[in-house]
Amino acid sequence: MSLNNYNDNNDDDRPKTPLDEDCCGSGCIPCIFDVHKTLLKEWESRKTQNVKVKTSNNLLSPLSYKVFIITDISETSEDYFLVYLKYSECETKNDINLYIEPGQHVILHSWSKSRPYTPISWTCNSLVFLVKLYKQGEFSSRLKNASIGSAIDIRGPYGDFKYKSNSFRQIVMFSIGSGIAALYPITRSIVDDETEFTRIHLIAGFQSVAQVPLKKELRSLADYWNFKCTIQLSQLNGILLNHIITSKFIIKLHA
């Protein structure tokens, strides 16, 4: 989390103290007050060192919720679905865009509950989330059955991870279930960079082929010379795999 991506829209760049009602009371991690303490500490440290704090015109804010509208919901596999959200205002100013580092997450708030999610893709004013539907999960169930046009509050982004181009010759990534949501945008940013020479091997675990999300997206990544994907399964359920296996997109049964 850094003030470099924080914009208070005031002449005073000191992080604005949240109001008591800004806390939703849902036990968010991080809580908006914890975020403020972190940003304030960083601001005070830079001020003491006479370092000018840079701000950016980010549509998102770690200290306040912004209203986004659900534009589409679509299934991507068994128990997984995609949620498409767009900033509620009809137009955004030319100098204000949605900024997020690959792998960072945001907080979604609705129905008096909050949950952290990592967007798998985004534009200057929209976000796409991969969500796992849990049988006893109230938030994911409500999100799956939400009406198009419903409002969702979002704040963030959070997370200090930032990949530096060509830092490694090869990166092996591991994920289980919905954890692939955090790794996919990082992988995408690497393979889309023509100056990048790092090789990526993504190893993802799922219960069955039917539960593997983002199949189309993973096959697309496999077309790149520096990407390979291995899917580890705990069961096959008698499903034929020939139509989705390539030399760089491999599915294995884990005994």
Side-chain angles (χ1 to χ4, degrees):
M1 187 184 311
S2 173
L3 281 174
N4 289 332
N5 298 330
Y6 176 74
N7 179 25
D8 197 23
N9 294 324
N10 290 322
D11 293 334
D12 181 9
D13 55 18
R14 184 183 189 277
K16 183 171 59 177
T17 302
L19 301 175
D20 289 340
E21 54 265 32
D22 289 334
C23 177
C24 64
S26 299
C28 300
I29 300 177
C31 173
I32 193 168
F33 291 111
D34 294 331
V35 173
H36 176 259
K37 289 180 181 178
T38 300
L39 293 176
L40 184 60
K41 183 177 181 180
E42 183 178 345
W43 178 83
E44 290 175 341
S45 175
R46 296 194 182 193
K47 185 178 180 181
T48 300
Q49 300 174 32
N50 293 320
V51 176
K52 185 177 180 180
V53 177
K54 298 180 181 179
T55 60
S56 62
N57 294 324
N58 192 357
L59 178 62
L60 295 173
S61 169
L63 289 178
S64 61
Y65 283 106
K66 300 297 179 68
V67 181
F68 283 69
I69 300 299
I70 296 177
T71 59
D72 193 17
I73 298 175
S74 62
E75 293 187 0
T76 181
S77 66
E78 183 180 297
D79 295 336
Y80 289 89
F81 60 97
L82 297 174
V83 179
Y84 298 79
L85 294 161
K86 188 174 183 179
Y87 187 53
S88 61
E89 294 188 9
C90 296
E91 295 183 1
T92 56
K93 297 180 180 179
N94 292 332
D95 59 342
I96 297 180
N97 290 298
L98 190 154
Y99 178 83
I100 186 170
E101 290 284 350
Q104 286 187 312
H105 70 278
V106 297
I107 300 294
L108 272 61
H109 177 74
S110 190
W111 309 292
S112 300
K113 295 183 180 297
S114 300
R115 294 291 184 273
Y117 286 100
T118 301
I120 62 169
S121 64
W122 53 89
T123 67
C124 63
N125 63 353
S126 65
L127 295 158
V128 181
F129 295 94
L130 174 68
V131 181
K132 181 176 182 179
L133 179 63
Y134 291 93
K135 293 181 180 180
Q136 304 300 324
E138 182 179 352
F139 193 90
S140 62
S141 296
R142 285 180 175 269
L143 196 56
K144 175 67 167 61
N145 297 308
S147 301
I148 303 301
S150 298
I152 302 290
D153 296 330
I154 297 179
R155 64 176 170 88
Y158 308 108
D160 294 325
F161 174 81
K162 186 174 183 180
Y163 173 75
K164 184 178 180 181
S165 181
N166 290 309
S167 300
F168 307 94
R169 294 179 59 185
Q170 180 173 344
I171 299 176
V172 180
M173 300 180 175
F174 297 90
S175 71
I176 296 293
S178 59
I180 196 173
L183 302 184
Y184 175 78
I186 298 173
T187 300
R188 182 93 252 177
S189 67
I190 293 175
V191 300
D192 281 343
D193 186 351
E194 295 183 354
T195 66
E196 184 66 68
F197 294 98
T198 300
R199 293 178 179 271
I200 302 295
H201 185 184
L202 173 60
I203 302 175
F206 297 93
Q207 184 176 3
S208 66
V209 174
Q211 289 189 344
V212 179
L214 306 177
K215 294 187 184 72
K216 179 180 178 181
E217 290 81 0
L218 292 174
R219 285 197 297 268
S220 175
L221 287 176
D223 291 335
Y224 289 84
W225 67 271
N226 56 341
F227 177 80
K228 178 181 178 180
C229 179
T230 300
I231 303 295
Q232 297 282 353
L233 304 176
S234 58
Q235 56 182 275
L236 291 180
N237 291 337
I239 298 177
L240 294 177
L241 307 180
N242 293 336
H243 66 294
I244 56 175
I245 293 182
T246 69
S247 60
K248 296 177 65 181
F249 185 52
I250 305 169
I251 295 183
K252 297 181 178 180
L253 177 63
H254 181 69

